[in-house]
Amino acid sequence: MKKIINDPAAVVGDALRGMAAAHPELLRVRTDPALIVRADAPLAGRVALISGGGSGHEPLHGGFVGRGMLTAAVPGAVFTSPTPDAVQAAIAETEAGAGALLLVKNYTGDVLNFETAAELAGLEGTDVRAVIIDDDVAVKDSTHTAGRRGVGGTVLVEKIVGAAVERGVDLAGCEAIARRVVGRVRSMGVALTGPTVPHAGSPSFTLGDDEVEIGIGIHGEPGRERIPMEDADGLVARLLEPILADLPFEAGDEVLLFTNSMGATPLIELYLAHGVAERLLAERGVRVRRRLVGPYTTSLDMQGMSLTLLKLDDELTELWDDPVRTAALHW
Amino acid sequence: MKKIINDPAAVVGDALRGMAAAHPELLRVRTDPALIVRADAPLAGRVALISGGGSGHEPLHGGFVGRGMLTAAVPGAVFTSPTPDAVQAAIAETEAGAGALLLVKNYTGDVLNFETAAELAGLEGTDVRAVIIDDDVAVKDSTHTAGRRGVGGTVLVEKIVGAAVERGVDLAGCEAIARRVVGRVRSMGVALTGPTVPHAGSPSFTLGDDEVEIGIGIHGEPGRERIPMEDADGLVARLLEPILADLPFEAGDEVLLFTNSMGATPLIELYLAHGVAERLLAERGVRVRRRLVGPYTTSLDMQGMSLTLLKLDDELTELWDDPVRTAALHW
């Protein structure tokens, strides 16, 4: 294992210090417990929008903290849920009377720890709701999950609900929008290599030189099947077909297409795959109205990609288009 | 080799089609010759700002086409200079009476082909100037270079001169600003793995499991030395010391620090390395006033990073801060 790190046990804190140094005007970063908070939080009258989860998926979630997206992110250790007290600290630091909404990827530890924090905050009189994101169509249950996993769709939920928060939508309204996005977003990914966790020192799994795993999770969890390597047309179709069939997405639907790198797959391949996905969707009559292409929900140094489709309507499109100013997304 | 591609010989064109699909409101993309052009070009009264070079360094250069940065980018085949006729086509499509400025990374093929295109356009009466970028302090001459190589500093030149173009600065003024940035910017990189060119199928070079190469180029060119792997503190110091000594950068200087991933090094490591660089600069009394952290000048799937320092002054800082709207940089 070669990684640009110091003490493997201190990677998350060390990276947070670098992030704090890189974005002083945008973020306030704490290391005990680890929190990434909007520099201008708390915001009076606005819902506190909080997400988090294990580290190793950067820029998710800390790179999405800022105007028009998250109020705070709670990073756990690499591929490990943050503790309830860290989530509570995020609520305490950002909630300003309008309540807090927790956006939680569906992994057993995350769900337990975020819901525990919500309950404890509730006992103290703060209105805290949690919405679970489970967009991965690959597998029903997984090593870390009861039900489907939360993956790339999380970025879209955070952007769209963040815009609602910025517009001053109240807690119930933000929760309803989050649930509506979750209901309309589906994802699936493929791994060409396994990710290497710093304190483990070797890949979570290994694939042959001519082998890929379809339906992989973002923590090295097993997917649907291992198959011989295919070309981009083949791989993209293998991701897109189950996504389309699941919701389903049909001819005439307007969608946001998010083509995501798992980390080590370079942009030249990612744009190529995006072009294939656009072509396949056009052949089906599905209309791509918005796009996002880049490494936004990663798995450390894993090579691979995922596709996410969101069925748009006018309200969701407008919220997507609203301005955003974070380390990883600006417009 | 596992890459998400179709025909290895068609990768650049296929990726350009994906880029065109991803950014229809921002870019106009041509494939014969390959060009990425601002959707609203030509812009009357504005200098046409054009860069380019071999593909495989994405988002450089096509990801930097747009308002406040490049007017056009000319991508060659992977790690191969674009032809003079492609550069001429970019000039013809974007020049609108105010002349064209070519920003050229210092590689023998790029310099020859861009300067040939400038001469041919000059014969037809268009005022075209070329500025050569040679910010890499690692080696004096290299396999593809007489003199120093152009690497990460290119992004900073393109952003700052692009802001000048947007302000309406004339050709001579833009050329002078470009030369001033080139005179004040220095870079150096380290590779943990070699890059794999699609039509080659195996890495350009291989490093041992505990070995890195200091001073590497962005096409797999040799660096200064191969050494045993070190921690982030050690590697960052090995990049920073030669950069600081070269200009030199001294206590009291105000700088922009650009921490760049070579492609496959994930953001968690990159932020960690950025934090180390900020600490080392603070210890020297060098004041970091602006930052850029991310994979902006890559080498396909190479693991590694580079550091770039630019000595700022008020004018350069203002131009850096000006709005930019491209696929890869927005603010």
Side-chain angles (χ1 to χ4, degrees):
Chain A
M1 180 193 73
K2 288 186 284 190
K3 289 184 178 288
I4 304 172
I5 59 175
N6 290 313
D7 175 5
V11 166
V12 172
D14 289 350
L16 285 177
R17 274 182 284 276
M19 197 172 191
H23 307 290
E25 68 300 318
L26 193 65
L27 303 174
R28 198 159 73 219
V29 176
R30 307 206 181 286
T31 53
D32 186 25
L35 295 181
I36 300 163
V37 182
R38 269 180 72 155
D40 56 357
L43 288 104
R46 297 272 171 76
V47 171
L49 187 65
I50 299 169
S51 190
S55 292
H57 308 300
E58 290 70 23
L60 191 79
H61 299 268
F64 302 126
V65 173
R67 186 162 64 83
M69 216 159 163
L70 297 177
T71 319
V74 194
V78 172
F79 292 177
T80 303
S81 300
T83 57
D85 69 288
V87 180
Q88 274 190 283
I91 297 168
E93 185 149 341
T94 58
E95 202 277 336
L101 182 61
L102 312 183
L103 300 176
V104 187
K105 300 196 300 302
N106 189 35
Y107 299 98
T108 307
D110 287 338
V111 172
L112 180 66
N113 292 352
F114 277 82
E115 289 190 342
T116 300
E119 278 174 34
L120 293 170
L123 294 176
E124 292 170 4
T126 306
D127 194 355
V128 182
R129 320 269 178 98
V131 172
I132 310 299
I133 301 164
D134 59 350
D135 55 312
D136 189 346
V137 305
V139 291
K140 177 74 186 81
D141 296 312
S142 180
T143 37
H144 305 303
T145 320
R148 291 177 165 184
R149 301 174 297 218
V151 290
T154 308
V155 179
L156 312 189
V157 179
E158 293 178 1
K159 168 66 186 81
I160 288 170
V161 182
V165 167
E166 205 69 39
R167 287 180 177 201
V169 175
D170 69 10
L171 183 60
C174 288
E175 182 185 4
I177 291 169
R179 293 193 190 284
R180 206 148 65 77
V181 178
V182 170
R184 300 162 73 98
V185 68
R186 297 292 186 276
S187 301
M188 193 154 128
V190 56
L192 279 58
T193 64
T196 298
V197 175
H199 55 265
S202 57
S204 306
F205 61 89
T206 51
L207 291 167
D209 285 345
D210 192 38
E211 191 182 38
V212 299
E213 185 154 342
I214 301 288
I216 193 72
I218 58 174
H219 309 91
E221 310 97 311
R224 287 185 169 189
E225 54 178 340
R226 293 189 178 189
I227 60 166
M229 180 67 187
E230 295 184 350
D231 64 11
D233 284 359
L235 292 176
V236 169
R238 281 186 188 270
L239 301 185
L240 205 51
E241 292 301 334
I243 292 170
L244 288 167
D246 193 83
L247 191 61
F249 296 88
E250 296 172 327
D253 283 347
E254 300 199 333
V255 301
L256 186 157
L257 168 61
F258 169 28
T259 304
N260 175 61
S261 166
M262 290 301 205
T265 285
L267 211 48
I268 191 169
E269 294 176 46
L270 204 64
Y271 272 121
L272 191 152
H274 180 80
V276 173
E278 292 246 7
R279 177 165 51 77
L280 296 178
L281 289 168
E283 288 169 8
R284 295 296 198 94
V286 176
R287 301 172 60 197
V288 181
R289 298 297 301 272
R290 295 292 185 274
R291 291 95 177 163
L292 183 67
V293 183
Y296 294 111
T297 303
T298 66
S299 182
L300 294 169
D301 52 357
M302 182 192 275
Q303 281 184 16
M305 61 170 288
S306 63
L307 292 177
T308 296
L309 279 188
L310 167 65
K311 190 182 291 199
L312 290 170
D313 60 22
D314 289 347
E315 184 193 20
L316 298 183
T317 305
E318 281 176 23
L319 290 166
W320 177 259
D321 288 346
D322 269 4
V324 59
R325 175 63 52 104
T326 67
L329 281 190
H330 313 241
W331 57 72
Chain B
M1 179 192 73
K2 287 186 283 191
K3 288 183 180 289
I4 304 172
I5 59 175
N6 290 313
D7 175 4
V11 166
V12 172
D14 289 350
L16 285 177
R17 274 182 284 276
M19 197 173 192
H23 307 290
E25 66 301 318
L26 193 65
L27 302 175
R28 199 159 74 220
V29 175
R30 306 206 181 286
T31 53
D32 186 25
L35 295 181
I36 300 163
V37 182
R38 269 180 73 155
D40 57 358
L43 289 105
R46 296 272 172 75
V47 171
L49 187 65
I50 299 169
S51 191
S55 292
H57 309 300
E58 290 72 22
L60 191 77
H61 301 269
F64 301 126
V65 173
R67 187 162 62 84
M69 215 160 164
L70 296 177
T71 319
V74 193
V78 173
F79 293 177
T80 302
S81 300
T83 57
D85 68 288
V87 180
Q88 273 190 284
I91 296 168
E93 186 150 339
T94 58
E95 201 277 337
L101 182 62
L102 311 182
L103 301 176
V104 187
K105 301 196 299 301
N106 189 36
Y107 299 98
T108 307
D110 286 339
V111 172
L112 180 66
N113 292 353
F114 277 82
E115 290 192 340
T116 299
E119 279 173 34
L120 293 170
L123 293 176
E124 292 170 4
T126 308
D127 194 356
V128 183
R129 320 269 177 98
V131 172
I132 310 299
I133 301 164
D134 59 350
D135 54 312
D136 188 346
V137 305
V139 291
K140 177 73 187 79
D141 297 312
S142 180
T143 37
H144 306 303
T145 320
R148 290 177 165 184
R149 302 174 297 217
V151 290
T154 308
V155 179
L156 312 189
V157 179
E158 293 178 1
K159 168 65 185 82
I160 289 171
V161 182
V165 166
E166 206 69 38
R167 288 181 177 200
V169 175
D170 68 9
L171 182 59
C174 287
E175 182 185 2
I177 290 169
R179 293 192 190 285
R180 205 149 67 78
V181 178
V182 170
R184 299 162 74 97
V185 67
R186 298 292 186 275
S187 300
M188 194 153 126
V190 56
L192 278 58
T193 64
T196 298
V197 175
H199 54 266
S202 59
S204 306
F205 61 90
T206 53
L207 292 167
D209 285 346
D210 192 37
E211 191 181 38
V212 299
E213 185 156 341
I214 301 288
I216 194 71
I218 57 175
H219 310 90
E221 310 98 311
R224 287 186 170 190
E225 54 179 339
R226 292 188 177 189
I227 60 165
M229 181 65 186
E230 296 184 349
D231 65 12
D233 284 359
L235 292 177
V236 168
R238 281 186 188 270
L239 301 184
L240 205 51
E241 292 301 334
I243 291 170
L244 289 167
D246 192 84
L247 191 65
F249 297 88
E250 295 172 327
D253 283 348
E254 301 198 334
V255 301
L256 186 158
L257 168 61
F258 169 28
T259 303
N260 175 62
S261 166
M262 290 302 206
T265 284
L267 212 47
I268 191 169
E269 295 176 46
L270 204 64
Y271 273 121
L272 190 152
H274 180 80
V276 173
E278 292 246 10
R279 177 166 50 76
L280 295 178
L281 288 168
E283 288 169 7
R284 295 296 199 93
V286 176
R287 301 173 58 198
V288 181
R289 297 297 299 273
R290 295 292 184 274
R291 292 93 175 162
L292 183 67
V293 183
Y296 294 113
T297 303
T298 66
S299 182
L300 294 168
D301 52 357
M302 182 192 275
Q303 281 185 17
M305 62 169 288
S306 63
L307 292 177
T308 296
L309 278 189
L310 167 64
K311 190 183 289 199
L312 290 170
D313 59 23
D314 289 346
E315 184 193 19
L316 298 183
T317 305
E318 281 176 22
L319 289 166
W320 177 259
D321 287 347
D322 269 5
V324 60
R325 174 63 54 103
T326 67
L329 282 189
H330 311 242
W331 57 73

